[in-house]
Amino acid sequence: MTATPSTTVANLRDLGGTPLPGGRTVRPGLVLRSGQLDRLDLDADPVVAALGLRTVIDFRTDAERADHPDRIPAGVRALVGDVLADKLNSAQVPAAQLKDLLSDPAVAEKHLGGGRAQALFADTYRSFVNSGSAQAAYRMLLTEAADAASGPLLFHCTAGKDRTGWGATVILALLGADDETLMAEYLSVNPAVKRAFAPMIEGFTAAGGDPDIALALIGVFPSYLQAALDEVETRYGSMEKYVREGLGVSDETVEALRARLVV
């Protein structure tokens, strides 16, 4: 549960060091999370260069990747798992449209005011659990994270808070982290995300935008994660059954994940 002070990658965190029951922890340096890598510069960023990344998993949409292509170090495998592909085909998704929604306060108020932003995010988080595209993306994450040949592995979306936050939650839950630890890791990105989006928030509020709408879009809240956890409970009854039946990840892969990442 370590924030890593990268200068060119926003919201970079190592899941290593996260406390687990029985005095164990997550092994450091193997599974990391972040925002998009469009500004990655290894020459100017010795912190990231020292990670020795082998695999990057990008959870963003086609449009997000086209607008801000990742800068991937030479020799690193780049994999794409578009979490929101199915959701975007059926409805607008706030997680993928922050800049558009914050560009016009009137439009934001119309679509997101009166608690609608929070409701949209809860619906999006449920889709992390139940949509086919999300299940394929998180199946890839767990399969790669369990494979020694893949690591060190970095997974990310745009801000590194929603799609990435759910991926981190699933991994840590499988490793045995308790509910309090899962929520603490999920909420821990708030300061970094708010720093990264500060100019956008200031411009939005200066133009008359509702700061509560901006915070609903930029931040993470317990109710968002709880929506996904409740969906797991309702549909599958446990995280293990969600992983086995929803994601199609074998028990052998889960055991390999634990053997590799628990110390």
Side-chain angles (χ1 to χ4, degrees):
M1 201 152 51
T2 308
T4 304
S6 165
T7 55
T8 67
V9 178
N11 198 12
L12 178 63
R13 294 178 62 78
D14 186 348
L15 295 188
T18 303
L20 301 171
R24 297 171 301 166
T25 60
V26 178
R27 193 182 304 276
L30 292 181
V31 179
L32 302 103
R33 56 180 292 188
S34 74
Q36 62 196 21
L37 306 182
D38 58 322
R39 297 180 183 179
L40 175 60
D41 182 345
L42 292 185
D43 292 333
D45 201 336
V47 168
V48 179
L51 295 174
L53 294 175
R54 279 201 207 160
T55 304
V56 168
I57 298 179
D58 189 342
F59 286 150
R60 296 178 300 166
T61 64
D62 290 345
E64 289 172 296
R65 286 184 281 111
D67 287 347
H68 298 280
D70 274 354
R71 301 180 66 176
I72 301 293
V76 174
R77 284 192 314 151
L79 305 175
V80 174
D82 184 347
V83 170
L84 295 174
D86 290 352
K87 187 71 175 162
L88 282 173
N89 289 334
S90 61
Q92 291 206 324
V93 182
Q97 298 166 324
L98 287 174
K99 291 181 180 175
D100 292 343
L101 289 166
L102 288 179
S103 63
D104 186 332
V107 171
E109 181 61 40
K110 177 182 176 183
H111 291 287
L112 302 172
R116 285 188 288 271
Q118 290 85 347
L120 270 172
F121 267 97
D123 185 58
T124 299
Y125 271 70
R126 285 189 287 272
S127 81
F128 294 167
V129 177
N130 62 41
S131 83
S133 59
Q135 290 170 349
Y138 295 119
R139 179 186 313 123
M140 176 196 295
L141 173 64
L142 294 180
T143 302
E144 293 292 335
D147 184 352
S150 298
L153 176 151
L154 171 73
F155 62 101
H156 76 90
C157 51
T158 291
K161 69 187 184 75
D162 299 306
R163 290 162 283 186
T164 298
W166 180 242
T169 298
V170 175
I171 289 175
L172 293 176
L174 288 175
L175 298 183
D178 60 27
D179 292 347
E180 186 178 342
T181 300
L182 295 179
M183 187 61 75
E185 171 60 23
Y186 173 72
L187 294 175
S188 66
V189 303
N190 265 327
V193 172
K194 286 174 181 173
R195 277 195 304 274
F197 287 98
M200 200 184 301
I201 297 173
E202 289 162 10
F204 179 75
T205 53
D210 182 346
D212 287 342
I213 291 178
L215 284 174
L217 293 175
I218 297 302
V220 290
F221 296 86
S223 62
Y224 295 177
L225 182 61
Q226 197 59 51
L229 293 171
D230 289 348
E231 187 74 2
V232 166
E233 186 65 30
T234 299
R235 284 181 176 255
Y236 300 102
S238 71
M239 185 67 77
E240 284 74 15
K241 287 189 71 176
Y242 156 67
V243 168
R244 187 185 307 120
E245 298 171 14
L247 302 186
V249 174
S250 70
D251 292 343
E252 290 78 12
T253 298
V254 173
E255 286 309 312
L257 182 82
R258 290 170 175 154
R260 182 165 183 253
L261 296 183
V262 175
V263 63

